[in-house]
Amino acid sequence: MSTNSAEAISSKDASTLHIDNTRDGGIEGSKIIAKEDEADGKRPPKRPRSSNDQSETTTSSSTGNDTGSNNSEPMITNQIITQQFKELDWRKLQDIACGSCIFCRMPRCGRCFICVSNNNAQGQPGEGRGYCLRKICIAIPIEFKLQHADKLGFPPGWRFAFDDPQKTSLVIGTKRILALAGLKIISPEGKLYHSLESAFAHIPHSPHNPLMAATTMVEKFLVHVGSSRHVSIPHFLVDKNYCIEFTGSSQRGGSNNIVLFGKIIACMGPSAGKSEEDKSFFIVQYDRDVLSIAKSMGTEVQPIQLISSELAWGGCISYERKTCCRRDSHSAIQNIDQATAAETWIAPDMRLEDMVERPDGTSLPQLTIVARGYKFVFRVKISNYGDKQHFGVFASCTSMQESANQEINLKPGELIDLGIFAPIGEEVRREEDRKTLPAFIIKNYIHKFKISRWGVVSGRDNVIYDLTDDKTGKLHDSASKRVLSYIRKRTKGEFPTINARIAPDMRVHLLFGIQYEGNWREYEAGMQELVPLFSGREVEVTISRHYGFGSKHAAGSKYLQSISMFQTEDIVACNSQLDCMFDSSETVNRFPPNLIDRSKKVVKCLEERTQQLLKMFSDAKSQEDGSCIGDSLDDSPLISVVENLKKLARMLERHHSEQ
C-alpha cells in the first residue's frame, strides 16, 4: 500500500481514500492514495484462493534447538504446589465444594475427557464417575485440583488445573490464540502460565522430532480439557519460510533491530465437523543460528512457538519481501486474498527518544521514528478529551525525500514497531515492575483503578508489567520519561492506531498503523483516520480498549469476589504487595481516607480467604484413608500471612480512627 507524500497533498483537503489495484495480485498490489475528490466507490475484486491452500503438510527438516531458561520470570512463591500429591477422590472434591461459585453453579461442559467418557451410547451426557475438569469448585485449594499433564505430551512434572476464570477476565490482555478461561499450567519449577501458548513457548521440546512432539501435545491437551478438537492439518503455509522483525533491547542500553528467520512446521486447525469459529493457528520453529545471534544482542527467544494465522501469513510474506523471492504459484504473496487477515511487523530504520523542554521549564519525552522514507515524531501533549485534561501522544509525519511525488510504501497488514512498552529496558533493572496478576489486582482496586492504564499483561501471562509507584499510583520516574507510557485508550467512536502485541521474546510492544483483519471496508475506514497525518497535520494516536485492563465501571464487586477466591500462591503474592505499599505507619498516614477504606476491604477479604484455606488444609490432614493428600501439605506460608494481615488491619484501623 502506498500514500502520496505529505508535500503533494498538504495544500489540499485530503478527506477520502481511494484503493487502487495497479500492481501484482492480492493485497500486495494495493495502494492507498489520499485524494481531494470523491472515491469512485469501486471495490477491488477478491482473488480466489489458490488450490495450493490445501497442499499436503510436509515435515520440517530443521534440527532441534536448545530451550534456554529465563531466570527473570517470577516463580510461584509457595513451593508446595510443586510437590507430588496423591490424587484426591472426586467424591471428596464434591463434598468440600462450596456450591455457590461460578463452577459449582454451571452444568458439566460435556466436552472434556471426563464428560465424554461418561456419555451414554447415544452420546448424551450422563453423571458417571469423575469430576468435570471445567467445573471443579473455585474455592477448593489449587493444591487439591492439580492434575498431571505428562500423559498429554508434556514433560514430566508439568501439572494443570482450572481456577477462578473471573481473575483473568478482570484483565484484558494482548491477543491470544486460544481462550481457556481459568486455566493454570504449572512447570516443575513452579512457574505459572494462564494460557497454552505461553506455556508452550517455555516447554523443552524434543530435539529429534519437534514437529511430532509439539502437535501431539497440543492435540491431546485440547481434546482432554474439551476446548476444541484442533488437529494437525494440511495448509498452504506449512514448510514455508518465515520472518519477523522487531525492536529489541540492547545489553548496553538503548535498542536495536532483531530479525528472526524460521519455518512454519505445522498448522493446527479444527477437525471435520467443527465450525469456522475455531480459528487455525500455526507452529513456527526459528533458526538456531539466528537465535544465537539474537541472544548475544540481549534478546532471548524460545525456539518453537505458537503463532496466530495473521502472523503466519504476514511472516511468510515478510520473508519473501526481505529475500526478494520469485513470486510464482508457490508464493504466499500471490496466494493470499483480500479476505485473509495478515500482520507484518516493520522495525524502524532509526529510533531516537529524548526529553524536550516545555515553555514552563518542565520536560516531556519525544520519540522520533524513521521508517519507509518518512520521519514520524510522537510528542506528549495535553489531550482535551472528556471532562478532565490528561496527557496524550500526538504524531506528525514528514517526508524524507525531496520529490513531492514519492509514496510511502506501507502495505495492508504492516505495522511499525514503536518499541518495547514493558518491561522497561534491562539497563533500568526495575524488577518491581513485574507483578503477579493477584498482586496487581489488589493494587489496582486500592488505587481506585486509575493505574489500570499502565498495567499490561506480559507474554508470561501470570506477570503484569506495572509502570506506577506502589504508594502514589502515579507513573514512576523511569516510565515518565518514555513516550509510550502516555498513550491513552481510545474512546467510543475513535479508531485505534496503536496496537499492543507480544513479541517473540515475550515483551510487550506497541505498533503504529491500522491492523488488517480481512475486511477492506473496515481497513479503509481506519486509514481515513491517518489521512490528516500524511497531510502534514498532527494527530493524536490512541490504543484499543481491548488491550490492557478493563473498564473500572462495575469492577469493584468483581474484584472483591475474585479476591475472596484467591489461592495460596495468590495470597502470598498479595501479602508481599501490601508490605511494599504499607511498609511503615508513616506510609499509612500519607494515604487519603478513601484509599484506607478500600485497603481495609482488601485486607479483610484476604484474611477471611486465608482462614478458609487453613481450615480446608486442617480437614484434609485429619482424613485417615490413603486418598488424603493432607500429610504433604505445608500451611506455614498461610499461617505467617494471617499474622501479617492482622497486624496491617490493626494499623489501618488505628489510622482510620485517628482521622
mmCIF file of all heavy atoms in Angstrom, residues 536-550:
data_model
loop_
_atom_site.group_PDB
_atom_site.id
_atom_site.type_symbol
_atom_site.label_atom_id
_atom_site.label_comp_id
_atom_site.label_asym_id
_atom_site.label_seq_id
_atom_site.Cartn_x
_atom_site.Cartn_y
_atom_site.Cartn_z
ATOM 1 N N GLY A 536 0.257 16.360 6.685
ATOM 2 C CA GLY A 536 1.107 17.318 7.381
ATOM 3 C C GLY A 536 0.557 17.821 8.688
ATOM 4 O O GLY A 536 1.158 18.682 9.329
ATOM 5 N N ARG A 537 -0.588 17.298 9.127
ATOM 6 C CA ARG A 537 -1.169 17.741 10.392
ATOM 7 C C ARG A 537 -0.799 16.792 11.532
ATOM 8 O O ARG A 537 -0.420 15.649 11.300
ATOM 9 C CB ARG A 537 -2.692 17.832 10.264
ATOM 10 C CG ARG A 537 -3.173 19.051 9.473
ATOM 11 C CD ARG A 537 -4.676 19.065 9.374
ATOM 12 N NE ARG A 537 -5.124 18.347 8.177
ATOM 13 C CZ ARG A 537 -6.390 18.096 7.897
ATOM 14 N NH1 ARG A 537 -7.331 18.504 8.735
ATOM 15 N NH2 ARG A 537 -6.718 17.449 6.807
ATOM 16 N N GLU A 538 -0.966 17.267 12.745
ATOM 17 C CA GLU A 538 -0.663 16.473 13.930
ATOM 18 C C GLU A 538 -1.927 15.767 14.396
ATOM 19 O O GLU A 538 -2.995 16.371 14.491
ATOM 20 C CB GLU A 538 -0.106 17.372 15.043
ATOM 21 C CG GLU A 538 0.638 16.631 16.124
ATOM 22 C CD GLU A 538 1.354 17.565 17.073
ATOM 23 O OE1 GLU A 538 0.699 18.500 17.585
ATOM 24 O OE2 GLU A 538 2.557 17.374 17.303
ATOM 25 N N VAL A 539 -1.802 14.482 14.684
ATOM 26 C CA VAL A 539 -2.955 13.653 15.028
ATOM 27 C C VAL A 539 -2.661 12.913 16.323
ATOM 28 O O VAL A 539 -1.563 12.373 16.512
ATOM 29 C CB VAL A 539 -3.247 12.635 13.904
ATOM 30 C CG1 VAL A 539 -4.382 11.696 14.300
ATOM 31 C CG2 VAL A 539 -3.582 13.351 12.603
ATOM 32 N N GLU A 540 -3.651 12.870 17.230
ATOM 33 C CA GLU A 540 -3.471 12.083 18.450
ATOM 34 C C GLU A 540 -3.654 10.605 18.134
ATOM 35 O O GLU A 540 -4.579 10.216 17.417
ATOM 36 C CB GLU A 540 -4.455 12.499 19.536
ATOM 37 C CG GLU A 540 -4.210 11.744 20.852
ATOM 38 C CD GLU A 540 -5.098 12.187 21.992
ATOM 39 O OE1 GLU A 540 -6.047 12.956 21.746
ATOM 40 O OE2 GLU A 540 -4.829 11.774 23.130
ATOM 41 N N VAL A 541 -2.773 9.788 18.673
ATOM 42 C CA VAL A 541 -2.867 8.335 18.478
ATOM 43 C C VAL A 541 -3.395 7.705 19.761
ATOM 44 O O VAL A 541 -3.062 8.132 20.869
ATOM 45 C CB VAL A 541 -1.502 7.735 18.093
ATOM 46 C CG1 VAL A 541 -1.071 8.243 16.730
ATOM 47 C CG2 VAL A 541 -0.437 8.042 19.129
ATOM 48 N N THR A 542 -4.226 6.689 19.611
ATOM 49 C CA THR A 542 -4.832 6.022 20.765
ATOM 50 C C THR A 542 -4.711 4.517 20.593
ATOM 51 O O THR A 542 -4.533 4.000 19.491
ATOM 52 C CB THR A 542 -6.323 6.389 20.917
ATOM 53 O OG1 THR A 542 -7.026 6.023 19.708
ATOM 54 C CG2 THR A 542 -6.489 7.874 21.156
ATOM 55 N N ILE A 543 -4.826 3.817 21.708
ATOM 56 C CA ILE A 543 -4.736 2.360 21.705
ATOM 57 C C ILE A 543 -6.118 1.775 21.940
ATOM 58 O O ILE A 543 -6.963 2.382 22.605
ATOM 59 C CB ILE A 543 -3.746 1.877 22.787
ATOM 60 C CG1 ILE A 543 -3.439 0.392 22.632
ATOM 61 C CG2 ILE A 543 -4.288 2.153 24.183
ATOM 62 C CD1 ILE A 543 -2.298 -0.073 23.520
ATOM 63 N N SER A 544 -6.359 0.596 21.389
ATOM 64 C CA SER A 544 -7.648 -0.052 21.544
ATOM 65 C C SER A 544 -7.914 -0.376 23.003
ATOM 66 O O SER A 544 -7.011 -0.720 23.759
ATOM 67 C CB SER A 544 -7.698 -1.338 20.710
ATOM 68 O OG SER A 544 -8.877 -2.065 20.981
ATOM 69 N N ARG A 545 -9.167 -0.295 23.407
ATOM 70 C CA ARG A 545 -9.544 -0.647 24.774
ATOM 71 C C ARG A 545 -9.528 -2.164 24.976
ATOM 72 O O ARG A 545 -9.729 -2.652 26.078
ATOM 73 C CB ARG A 545 -10.933 -0.100 25.109
ATOM 74 C CG ARG A 545 -11.033 1.407 25.059
ATOM 75 C CD ARG A 545 -12.311 1.893 25.711
ATOM 76 N NE ARG A 545 -12.294 1.680 27.139
ATOM 77 C CZ ARG A 545 -11.786 2.526 28.031
ATOM 78 N NH1 ARG A 545 -11.213 3.635 27.626
ATOM 79 N NH2 ARG A 545 -11.832 2.254 29.316
ATOM 80 N N HIS A 546 -9.290 -2.903 23.918
ATOM 81 C CA HIS A 546 -9.228 -4.360 24.048
ATOM 82 C C HIS A 546 -7.884 -4.817 24.574
ATOM 83 O O HIS A 546 -7.663 -5.997 24.754
ATOM 84 C CB HIS A 546 -9.496 -5.019 22.695
ATOM 85 C CG HIS A 546 -10.888 -4.790 22.194
ATOM 86 N ND1 HIS A 546 -11.995 -5.262 22.851
ATOM 87 C CD2 HIS A 546 -11.354 -4.123 21.112
ATOM 88 C CE1 HIS A 546 -13.085 -4.905 22.193
ATOM 89 N NE2 HIS A 546 -12.723 -4.225 21.135
ATOM 90 N N TYR A 547 -6.960 -3.872 24.774
ATOM 91 C CA TYR A 547 -5.654 -4.239 25.299
ATOM 92 C C TYR A 547 -5.472 -3.574 26.653
ATOM 93 O O TYR A 547 -5.920 -2.462 26.886
ATOM 94 C CB TYR A 547 -4.542 -3.800 24.342
ATOM 95 C CG TYR A 547 -4.764 -4.268 22.937
ATOM 96 C CD1 TYR A 547 -4.789 -3.377 21.878
ATOM 97 C CD2 TYR A 547 -4.977 -5.614 22.677
ATOM 98 C CE1 TYR A 547 -4.995 -3.817 20.593
ATOM 99 C CE2 TYR A 547 -5.187 -6.058 21.400
ATOM 100 C CZ TYR A 547 -5.192 -5.161 20.352
ATOM 101 O OH TYR A 547 -5.405 -5.598 19.085
ATOM 102 N N GLY A 548 -4.763 -4.241 27.548
ATOM 103 C CA GLY A 548 -4.580 -3.707 28.893
ATOM 104 C C GLY A 548 -5.726 -4.150 29.790
ATOM 105 O O GLY A 548 -6.379 -5.154 29.545
ATOM 106 N N PHE A 549 -6.015 -3.382 30.814
ATOM 107 C CA PHE A 549 -7.032 -3.772 31.783
ATOM 108 C C PHE A 549 -8.396 -3.215 31.409
ATOM 109 O O PHE A 549 -8.515 -2.217 30.714
ATOM 110 C CB PHE A 549 -6.628 -3.289 33.179
ATOM 111 C CG PHE A 549 -5.623 -4.189 33.810
ATOM 112 C CD1 PHE A 549 -4.315 -4.165 33.386
ATOM 113 C CD2 PHE A 549 -5.995 -5.094 34.773
ATOM 114 C CE1 PHE A 549 -3.380 -5.013 33.942
ATOM 115 C CE2 PHE A 549 -5.070 -5.954 35.329
ATOM 116 C CZ PHE A 549 -3.761 -5.900 34.919
ATOM 117 N N GLY A 550 -9.415 -3.869 31.862
ATOM 118 C CA GLY A 550 -10.766 -3.490 31.512
ATOM 119 C C GLY A 550 -11.230 -2.224 32.206
ATOM 120 O O GLY A 550 -10.538 -1.624 33.004
#
